[in-house]
Amino acid sequence: MNTTRHLLEVQRLKTHFYTFEGIAKAVENVSFYMDEGETLGLVGESGCGKSVTALSIMRLIKNPPGKIVAGQILFEGADLLKLSESRMRAIRGARISMIFQEPMTSLNPVYTIGHQIAEMFEIHKRTNKKESWDRAVETLRQVQMPSPQKRAHEYPYQLSGGMRQRAMIAMTMACNPKILIADEPTTALDVTIQAQILDLMLKLKEDFGAAVLIITHDLGVVAEIAQRIVVMYASQVVEEGTTRDIFNHPKHPYTQGLLRSVPRLGDRSRYGRTRLLEITGMVPSLYDLPEGCNFHPRCKHAMAICRETPPEFVDLGGIHRMRCYL
């Protein structure tokens, strides 16, 4: 971990869920950092712990069954895990905001969009109702919502998927946060709307200077907007580096497998109709993670030590590192 002070530092974070089936180790010794104004991509298969990592940063893990059992989350030098709930509420939404994967589960169905955005200004900026409403409409205008004055009076069910996502972005950017966490912000949208939402996020990032943590399984998205990438597999970070490092010189077998499984424009004309390469095997259960390296049951390069001893991070030069014995 870099010794200079970063905007956000997640250090050896562990988040477990205690259920009747046993202990699910959703996040296990995860460490990464973010600097002001940068975009960091957190990528990996569904169920690898990406969203739980984000919820841990926001301190939104419900206990029970979930619990952050170890680690530090340093924001501007302060450990979020040690703050009182009242201080955390003041940070959540105002200093660190999150766009959730499905807006319909995050927006309140019984209040208008304008009311919900205005409430952000009332709570965090202490503005009166009229000023809060005016600022809510202006925020909708900033996120390029069509007819913002009209949409402010509408309920979530009256909006399209793209409009709901714009409303969520407006709500998260209302208080000019230092960090914006976007959890699969384009998953449920069609391709053209996805591109619009990504362009909007980049524009707002430039306008407000926020750092962005984008969580996705779509490598095309992070290739377009991220400066650095953190790759997760089965609750752990397995590789980290610049976007150029990860795409041009992937080192971990899992990262290499992810990139080989992405369809590439022109491959069919060059090589004919061929199957996409896949990572063989199944993702391990978080209730019963393998001994040694979590990836060894699916890795064609696995050695005896991989099955016995968990690997530590190896520095590959610059900020490129991986958790592997190769």
Side-chain angles (χ1 to χ4, degrees), residues 30-295:
V30 164
S31 298
F32 61 87
Y33 68 90
M34 292 182 68
D35 289 324
E36 291 192 18
E38 79 165 336
T39 302
L40 176 68
L42 186 60
V43 303
E45 293 173 270
S46 296
C48 71
K50 307 185 300 294
S51 295
V52 175
T53 299
L55 292 171
S56 299
I57 293 171
M58 298 292 288
R59 263 183 50 183
L60 290 174
I61 298 295
K62 291 184 179 179
N63 183 14
K67 185 179 181 183
I68 299 172
V69 298
Q72 291 183 307
I73 302 173
L74 303 176
F75 173 61
E76 296 182 325
D79 189 353
L80 299 182
L81 300 182
K82 294 182 178 178
L83 298 184
S84 66
E85 183 54 35
S86 61
R87 285 191 63 195
M88 190 63 209
R89 275 198 302 269
I91 290 174
R92 192 188 297 129
R95 306 287 288 162
I96 306 176
S97 288
M98 184 168 175
I99 302 171
F100 293 92
Q101 190 165 352
E102 176 45 61
M104 275 302 282
T105 63
S106 308
L107 295 168
N108 193 320
V110 301
Y111 291 105
T112 64
I113 295 297
H115 176 95
Q116 294 181 64
I117 299 172
E119 193 174 45
M120 295 292 293
F121 292 109
E122 290 180 40
I123 293 172
H124 294 291
K125 298 297 184 182
R126 307 295 184 187
T127 53
N128 60 45
K129 287 188 179 297
K130 183 182 185 308
E131 184 181 353
S132 297
W133 181 268
D134 291 342
R135 292 176 72 170
V137 173
E138 179 56 31
T139 305
L140 287 173
R141 186 174 289 109
Q142 288 177 327
V143 300
Q144 300 165 16
M145 179 74 83
S147 307
Q149 185 71 53
K150 176 187 175 186
R151 302 302 177 193
H153 290 280
E154 294 183 341
Y155 294 87
Y157 77 89
Q158 295 175 285
L159 304 181
S160 67
M163 286 182 181
R164 285 196 292 266
Q165 199 61 284
R166 288 176 191 275
M168 274 298 302
I169 294 172
M171 194 176 301
T172 56
M173 299 304 294
C175 298
N176 298 353
K178 297 286 287 183
I179 296 175
L180 173 63
I181 301 174
D183 186 5
E184 303 277 8
T186 60
T187 295
L189 306 176
D190 64 51
V191 176
T192 54
I193 302 299
Q194 282 184 22
Q196 292 174 17
I197 294 298
L198 290 176
D199 287 344
L200 173 61
M201 288 177 59
L202 286 174
K203 180 181 182 301
L204 292 173
K205 173 179 176 288
E206 293 172 2
D207 291 347
F208 294 100
V212 176
L213 174 62
I214 184 159
I215 297 168
T216 183
H217 60 268
D218 189 332
L219 293 169
V221 169
V222 291
E224 184 178 344
I225 70 173
Q227 284 89 51
R228 288 190 301 115
I229 296 174
V230 173
V231 182
M232 285 188 71
Y233 176 78
S235 79
Q236 291 185 328
V237 173
V238 295
E239 188 165 2
E240 177 183 357
T242 65
T243 302
R244 185 183 298 272
D245 287 336
I246 298 299
F247 276 87
N248 294 343
H249 308 288
K251 298 298 184 183
H252 196 281
Y254 176 65
T255 310
Q256 293 171 352
L258 278 182
L259 291 169
R260 281 196 301 267
S261 67
V262 175
R264 300 178 188 279
L265 196 64
D267 276 1
R268 184 173 175 183
S269 61
R270 284 196 295 267
Y271 308 118
R273 186 188 292 273
T274 58
R275 281 178 61 91
L276 281 175
L277 294 173
E278 60 186 22
I279 303 173
T280 58
M282 297 289 290
V283 179
S285 168
L286 298 179
Y287 292 101
D288 187 24
L289 292 171
E291 295 291 325
C293 172
N294 285 350
F295 189 62

Side-chain angles (χ1 to χ4, degrees), residues 299-311:
C299 181
K300 63 182 180 181
H301 305 292
M303 303 174 286
I305 191 172
C306 303
R307 299 179 178 90
E308 299 165 1
T309 309

